[in-house]
Amino acid sequence: MKNSVVKGAFGALAVAGIAMIAKKAIQRKRFVKGLFEEYGIREKSPFGLADKIREMNDEDYQALKGKFKKEFASRCGHKRSEKESVAEA
């Protein structure tokens, strides 16, 4: 009986983990789709994005680079500073 309870708990944990991963993937897909629309990129591929980056001036490129860094930065193992905590609240 104990074994079936453990299996059920691991199963529920696995389902929750998959749901969290799927949610994050959907958020990132929306972010990239929004960038394509914002910059008027018709070809929805990495090649279309690369072509647009080649056409950009340095200011626009730095802004785009900052957006990508903010969205795709890893937050694992980093402690928040007090300034970040206050800014988010």
Side-chain angles (χ1 to χ4, degrees), residues 3-51:
N3 207 10
S4 64
V5 172
V6 173
K7 285 182 184 179
F10 280 135
L13 190 62
V15 170
I18 291 170
M20 287 175 44
I21 291 169
K23 180 181 175 185
K24 188 66 173 178
I26 291 169
Q27 287 174 344
R28 288 186 172 188
K29 186 175 180 180
R30 284 183 189 148
F31 169 76
V32 172
K33 186 177 179 182
L35 283 179
F36 283 146
E37 290 175 4
E38 180 180 345
Y39 289 100
I41 302 171
R42 290 192 180 119
E43 186 181 346
K44 307 288 190 231
S45 72
F47 300 110
L49 181 61
D51 289 341

Side-chain angles (χ1 to χ4, degrees), residues 30-77:
R30 284 183 189 148
F31 169 76
V32 172
K33 186 177 179 182
L35 283 179
F36 283 146
E37 290 175 4
E38 180 180 345
Y39 289 100
I41 302 171
R42 290 192 180 119
E43 186 181 346
K44 307 288 190 231
S45 72
F47 300 110
L49 181 61
D51 289 341
K52 186 64 176 182
I53 289 172
R54 284 188 206 106
E55 296 171 2
M56 288 180 172
N57 61 22
D58 199 35
E59 252 180 49
D60 291 338
Y61 174 69
Q62 292 301 326
L64 178 66
K65 189 172 147 182
K67 288 178 185 178
F68 271 107
K69 278 187 177 181
K70 183 179 177 185
E71 179 65 24
F72 295 108
S74 176
R75 292 171 187 90
C76 295

Side-chain angles (χ1 to χ4, degrees), residues 80-89:
R80 291 184 177 174
S81 67
E82 288 182 26
K83 290 181 182 179
E84 289 178 354
S85 298
V86 172
E88 290 180 359

